[in-house]
């Protein structure tokens, strides 16, 4: 994989083309909403009638692939160099996954979808016990592993090629195994432009529809009228909060809001469980999970081909299209916060943790609502859901103690969820327009956060939200085809990485002791030493660099293009052997600081330690990252032997690929 110079902060072809196309499409949907809606609806209907099998097959392949990668030998490969560590704790990581991927949908559909399936199932009679069981299985199916597998595969592709092989953290990098360096040209620009447009319109339509729920909640609580003026004001307020959040960056604004959201969600979920029919809900959760697991294969491939119903087009296919259309945005965001995790850790974490919380939410809210309608005679709740989905959550919370407080908490959660969706969407779009860089000028982040709000407000005023939502879902078809090709490319690249790992395990002739056959006391002294930065720097300059140069001279005599680079500022020397179309050989000695053993019991970070509290190691890094062994104190001949040892393993790795 190539390593390029740090790119410019702004990628003009993507930024300006995407901005212009967004304006054109927005004006079309705003000035001719009925025409746009008719065109896009017709396109979507054609897709549902003729390509529903392709959607179902694609999502099934994706889920199988993600599960395979998590369980296979590829699971040990890191999303980053071998020495990398995760940027975020598990709690923060899960909170950001949840907020970006599903949070707002649970608020909107947690009550509504189970009730709608209960009242109008795909087959059979509605309003029965059998319909209740089927409603929960269908809801689990739409919101469970399949949705998160779609996000996971996109994030996995992007994180692998970006963090492990130095490509930009943008959607174009997913095509590298298929088109190579051409990702840096017009094809790559077109892919990123597609992702920008899809993300902006996806976030904008969700923001537009979301304020309808916020407006309904405020009307329910305070009698605030439901009208377009109030909704535009709400969009302006949410956009302002998103601008403030995205301006503070990922580690402050988005992270803290995600953690707040997760805390509020757990609080509301716990209250519904304890204040509702607790034992029944726990029983229902276990039974729902069992039924979902037992039927997952049948449901995954079920197209209702024999029942002749259009239900699947109105539900499952639209959901698969919606998850696929959001995958560039959510997948890139998940990739951004997952650096340093192994593929196994990533696959299991992204698949099961958010899905598990989602299934708990749907059970506690959905089963409680169905129980109220089926066994407690609260038919009015079903009528409310059928007539106005935005009121479903608030009508449900009315049945609990402290209903006004709960509804206020729900409104706050919806707002915060939308802020996190908007600011994470703005960050993703900014990265797509900036060659994958996330440390961009403030004006760029404000531009995209504000732009999403403007698009949502204009379309809400003009009545064009439905057309844009339909267009966004229809765009999932070409993306699904491209995603299958990118998945194939990922598997090819993982095979190369796995072969490299196997080659590093190959036994080679042992090298001589670090200082030759000298006294063992000298070797022990070297092991116990805690060198300063100056000592390691001197070692790199006087021993490691001459060793690399000696090997380079010999390799050049054999016709190999070889360079030695010494970076005195960062205390490292690098031997690079260019091998044409095959994977180049890299051997690097780096100075790395660590906390002295006396401070191991404290939680002092290396970055916070004073120079007296540190010691340094001359660590070896290969093309895959740090190998976690130290050559400080070795003789020149010992370092040369280690270079030859690693070069021998690299040749064996290339042999395994042929």
């Amino acid at each position: 994989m190539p390593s390029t110079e740090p790119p410019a902060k702004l990628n003009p072809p993507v930024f300006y083309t995407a901005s212009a196309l967004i304006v054109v499409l927005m004006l079309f949907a705003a000035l001719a909403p009925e025409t746009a809606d008719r065109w896009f609806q017709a396109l979507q209907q054609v897709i549902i009638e003729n390509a529903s099998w392709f959607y179902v097959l694609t999502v099934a392949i994706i889920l199988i692939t993600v599960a395979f990668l998590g369980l296979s030998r590829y699971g040990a490969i890191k999303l980053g160099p071998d020495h990398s560590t995760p940027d975020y704790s598990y709690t923060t990581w899960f909170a950001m996954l949840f907020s970006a991927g599903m949070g707002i949908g649970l608020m909107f559909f947690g009550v509504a979808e189970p009730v709608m399936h209960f009242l109008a199932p795909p087959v059979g009679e509605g309003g029965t016990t059998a319909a209740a069981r089927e409603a929960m299985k269908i809801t689990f199916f739409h919101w469970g592993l399949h949705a998160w597998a779609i996000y996971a595969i996109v994030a996995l592709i992007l994180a692998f090629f970006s963090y492990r092989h130095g490509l930009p953290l943008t959607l174009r990098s997913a095509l590298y195994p298929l088109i190579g360096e051409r990702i840096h040209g017009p094809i790559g620009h077109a892919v990123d432009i597609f992702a920008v447009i899809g993300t902006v319109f996806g976030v904008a339509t969700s923001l537009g529809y979301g304020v309808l729920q916020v407006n309904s909640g405020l009307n329910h609580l305070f009698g605030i009228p439901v009208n377009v003026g109030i909704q535009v004001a709400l969009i302006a307020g949410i956009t302002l909060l998103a601008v403030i959040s995205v301006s503070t960056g990922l580690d402050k604004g988005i992270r803290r809001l995600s953690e707040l959201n997760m805390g509020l969600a757990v609080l509301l979920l716990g209250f519904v469980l304890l204040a509702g029919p607790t034992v029944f809900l726990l029983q229902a959760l276990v039974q729902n999970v069992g039924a979902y697991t037992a039927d997952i294969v049948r449901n995954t491939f079920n197209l209702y081909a024999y029942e002749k119903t259009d239900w699947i087009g109105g539900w499952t296919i639209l959901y698969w299209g919606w998850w696929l259309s959001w995958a560039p945005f959510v997948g890139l965001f998940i990739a951004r916060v997952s650096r340093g995790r192994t593929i196994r850790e990533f696959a299991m974490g992204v698949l099961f943790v958010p899905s598990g919380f989602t299934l708990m939410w749907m059970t506690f809210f959905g089963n409680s609502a169905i129980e109220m309608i089926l066994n407690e005679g609260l038919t009015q709740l079903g009528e409310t859901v059928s007539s106005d989905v935005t009121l479903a959550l608030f009508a449900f919370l009315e049945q609990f103690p402290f209903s006004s407080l709960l509804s206020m908490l729900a409104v706050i959660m919806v707002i915060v969820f939308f802020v996190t969706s908007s600011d994470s969407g703005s960050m993703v779009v900014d990265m797509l327009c900036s060659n994958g860089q996330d440390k961009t000028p403030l004006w760029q982040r404000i531009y995209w956060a504000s732009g999403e709000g403007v698009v949502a407000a204009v379309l809400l005023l003009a009545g064009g939200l439905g057309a844009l939502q339909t267009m966004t879902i229809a765009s999932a078809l070409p993306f699904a085809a491209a995603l299958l090709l990118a998945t194939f490319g990922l598997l090819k690249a993982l095979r190369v990485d796995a072969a490299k790992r196997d080659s590093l395990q190959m036994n080679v002739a042992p090298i001589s002791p670090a200082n030759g056959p000298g006294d063992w006391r000298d070797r022990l002294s070297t092991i116990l030493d805690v060198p300063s930065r100056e000592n390691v720097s001197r070692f790199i300059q006087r021993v490691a660099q001459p060793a690399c140069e000696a090997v380079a001279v010999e390799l050049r005599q054999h016709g190999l293009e070889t360079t030695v680079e010494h970076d005195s500022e960062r205390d490292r020397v690098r031997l690079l052997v260019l091998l044409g179309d095959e994977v180049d050989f890299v051997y690097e000695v780096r100075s790395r600081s660590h906390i002295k053993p006396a401070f191991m019991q404290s939680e002092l970070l290396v970055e916070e330690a004073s120079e007296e509290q540190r010691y340094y190691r001359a660590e070896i890094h290969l093309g895959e990252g740090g190998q976690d062994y130290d050559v400080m104190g070795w003789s020149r001949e010992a370092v040369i032997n280690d270079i030859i040892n690693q070069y021998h393993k690299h040749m064996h790795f290339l042999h395994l690929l042929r």
Side-chain angles (χ1 to χ4, degrees):
M1 295 291 175
S3 58
T4 57
E5 293 296 319
K9 292 295 185 186
L10 187 68
N11 188 351
V14 176
F15 179 84
Y16 293 112
T17 306
S19 297
L21 288 174
I22 287 169
V23 171
V24 170
L25 288 169
M26 179 183 68
L27 291 177
F28 174 50
L31 299 177
E34 294 181 2
T35 302
D37 193 47
R38 188 168 61 252
W39 284 9
F40 293 138
Q41 286 282 3
L43 174 62
Q44 182 172 303
Q45 191 60 35
V46 170
I47 291 172
I48 289 173
E49 289 177 359
N50 298 284
S52 57
W53 64 270
F54 179 71
Y55 274 115
V56 166
L57 189 61
T58 297
V59 174
I61 291 171
I62 288 171
L63 177 59
I64 292 168
T65 301
V66 174
F68 164 74
L69 292 177
L71 297 172
S72 70
R73 63 180 183 140
Y74 300 137
I77 296 173
K78 280 194 174 183
L79 299 176
D82 288 341
H83 62 281
S84 58
T85 56
D87 293 337
Y88 301 99
S89 67
Y90 280 117
T91 302
T92 300
W93 185 49
F94 292 143
M96 289 196 285
L97 295 182
F98 176 75
S99 294
M102 288 284 167
I104 189 59
L106 299 188
M107 300 298 294
F108 202 84
F109 288 106
V111 172
E113 182 167 346
V115 170
M116 286 189 284
H117 293 321
F118 166 66
L119 296 176
V123 293
E125 183 183 353
T128 64
T129 301
R133 283 196 296 266
E134 189 67 19
M136 295 312 302
K137 284 198 292 186
I138 294 170
T139 303
F140 271 36
F141 178 59
H142 288 161
W143 291 83
L145 298 177
H146 295 73
W148 283 100
I150 294 170
Y151 293 158
I153 196 66
V154 176
L156 193 55
I157 292 168
L158 296 177
F160 177 79
F161 288 119
S162 177
Y163 295 135
R164 193 156 180 90
H165 295 290
L167 293 173
L169 187 58
T170 65
L171 203 64
R172 70 177 69 202
S173 297
L175 300 181
Y176 185 84
L178 307 176
I179 63 174
E181 292 297 317
R182 283 180 291 171
I183 65 166
H184 301 296
I187 296 176
H189 296 331
V191 170
D192 285 346
I193 289 167
F194 169 82
V196 169
I197 294 173
T199 299
V200 169
F201 285 140
V203 173
T205 50
S206 293
L207 183 60
Y209 284 121
V211 297
L212 301 179
Q213 186 178 29
V214 176
N215 197 178
S216 295
L218 295 176
N219 174 264
H220 180 77
L221 286 169
F222 307 114
I224 293 175
V226 177
N227 58 53
V228 175
I230 297 295
Q231 291 156 12
V232 170
L234 288 170
I235 289 177
I238 291 172
T239 301
L240 178 61
L241 292 174
V243 167
I244 295 171
S245 174
V246 81
S247 299
T248 61
L250 177 63
D251 290 334
K252 293 183 180 178
I254 299 175
R255 188 194 73 185
R256 290 173 181 170
L257 282 176
S258 298
E259 290 173 344
L260 171 64
N261 252 349
M262 196 68 182
L264 293 175
V266 170
L267 186 65
L268 184 58
L269 186 72
F271 184 86
V272 170
L273 172 64
L274 296 176
T278 307
V279 174
F280 164 72
L281 293 179
L282 294 175
Q283 291 173 335
L285 176 62
V286 174
Q287 185 168 330
N288 291 344
V289 171
Y292 169 60
T293 306
D295 287 351
I296 192 168
V297 175
R298 180 179 66 84
N299 287 335
T300 295
F301 295 95
N302 187 9
L303 281 157
Y304 292 93
Y306 298 102
E307 284 82 359
K308 305 303 180 187
T309 174
D310 61 355
W311 181 91
I312 188 171
W315 282 101
T316 302
I317 301 304
L318 286 183
Y319 263 122
W320 288 177
W322 188 243
W323 301 145
L324 283 164
S325 69
W326 268 64
F329 151 46
V330 180
L332 199 154
F333 181 78
I334 292 174
R336 173 61 186 83
V337 300
S338 300
R339 184 181 186 275
R341 304 211 176 264
T342 65
I343 289 178
R344 180 169 297 111
E345 185 182 18
F346 173 89
M348 297 300 105
V350 174
L351 271 186
F352 291 108
V353 177
S355 293
F357 188 87
T358 299
L359 300 186
M360 285 178 58
W361 186 281
M362 290 299 187
T363 294
F364 294 169
F365 281 76
N367 269 115
S368 294
I370 291 174
E371 178 73 5
M372 292 174 183
I373 299 170
L374 181 62
N375 295 320
E376 297 178 15
L378 195 64
T379 56
Q380 185 180 356
L381 178 58
E383 295 168 1
T384 301
V385 171
S386 300
S387 61
D388 188 355
V389 177
T390 63
L391 281 174
L393 177 62
F394 305 108
F396 169 74
L397 293 176
E398 257 188 5
Q399 314 309 316
F400 288 85
F402 313 109
S403 58
S404 296
L405 182 61
L406 292 177
S407 295
M408 176 59 72
L409 177 63
V411 169
I412 293 172
M413 287 177 63
V414 171
I415 292 173
V416 179
F417 271 128
F418 270 113
V419 171
T420 54
S421 293
S422 180
D423 57 14
S424 55
S426 304
M427 187 197 77
V428 164
V429 172
D430 194 23
M431 290 173 65
L432 289 167
C433 293
S434 305
N435 300 291
Q437 302 293 307
D438 60 354
K439 295 180 180 178
T440 55
L442 181 60
W443 73 265
Q444 289 179 216
R445 286 173 275 164
I446 294 176
Y447 174 84
W448 290 113
S450 305
E452 290 164 357
V454 170
V455 171
V458 170
L459 294 174
L460 188 65
L461 286 167
L465 280 173
L468 262 297
Q469 184 182 37
T470 307
M471 184 204 73
T472 303
I473 295 173
S475 71
L477 181 62
F479 178 69
L483 186 56
L484 288 179
L485 293 175
T487 301
F488 176 70
L490 173 67
L491 293 173
K492 285 179 60 179
L494 285 171
R495 175 178 169 270
V496 173
D497 262 53
K500 180 64 174 176
R501 290 174 64 87
D502 291 344
S503 72
L504 291 174
Q505 305 302 317
M506 183 191 70
N507 290 323
V508 295
I511 63 172
S512 60
N515 292 303
D519 194 300
W520 62 269
R521 294 178 182 83
D522 295 333
R523 294 184 61 197
L524 181 60
S525 176
T526 299
I527 295 171
L528 296 176
D529 192 19
V530 281
S532 66
R533 178 173 183 174
E534 291 74 17
N535 290 340
V536 174
S537 179
R538 189 160 49 246
F539 169 81
I540 290 174
Q541 185 176 357
R542 296 181 180 179
V543 178
Q545 184 177 353
C548 290
E549 290 172 345
V551 175
V553 169
E554 191 68 23
L555 290 171
R556 291 189 193 110
Q557 290 179 357
H558 286 78
L560 294 170
E561 186 178 348
T562 309
T563 61
V564 176
E565 303 166 357
H566 180 220
D567 186 344
S568 57
E569 289 187 6
R570 295 192 292 175
D571 290 329
R572 58 185 62 178
V573 62
R574 185 187 202 209
L575 172 69
L576 174 64
V577 184
L578 300 178
L579 299 172
D581 293 334
E582 301 195 84
V583 181
D584 298 331
F585 174 70
V586 178
Y587 183 94
E588 190 171 314
V589 185
R590 293 186 184 182
S591 174
R592 293 287 304 276
S593 66
H594 299 269
I595 302 296
K596 287 183 179 179
F599 297 90
M600 291 291 281
Q601 298 305 314
S602 70
E603 295 185 357
L604 186 66
L605 298 175
V606 174
E607 295 79 4
E608 298 172 350
S610 66
E611 199 62 29
E612 293 76 19
Q613 295 169 323
R614 306 178 191 219
Y615 74 99
Y616 289 78
R617 287 165 36 115
E619 296 186 359
I620 301 304
H621 284 238
L622 303 178
E624 300 70 47
Q627 300 304 299
D628 202 28
Y629 70 93
D630 179 23
V631 298
M632 179 63 190
W634 288 23
S635 68
R636 177 173 171 271
E637 289 71 23
V639 175
I640 289 174
N641 275 324
D642 191 54
I643 296 173
I644 295 171
N645 182 5
Q646 295 294 354
Y647 189 73
H648 189 180
K649 292 182 178 183
H650 189 76
M651 290 298 101
H652 182 64
F653 153 63
L654 296 182
H655 163 73
L656 293 175
L657 290 182
R658 296 187 185 110

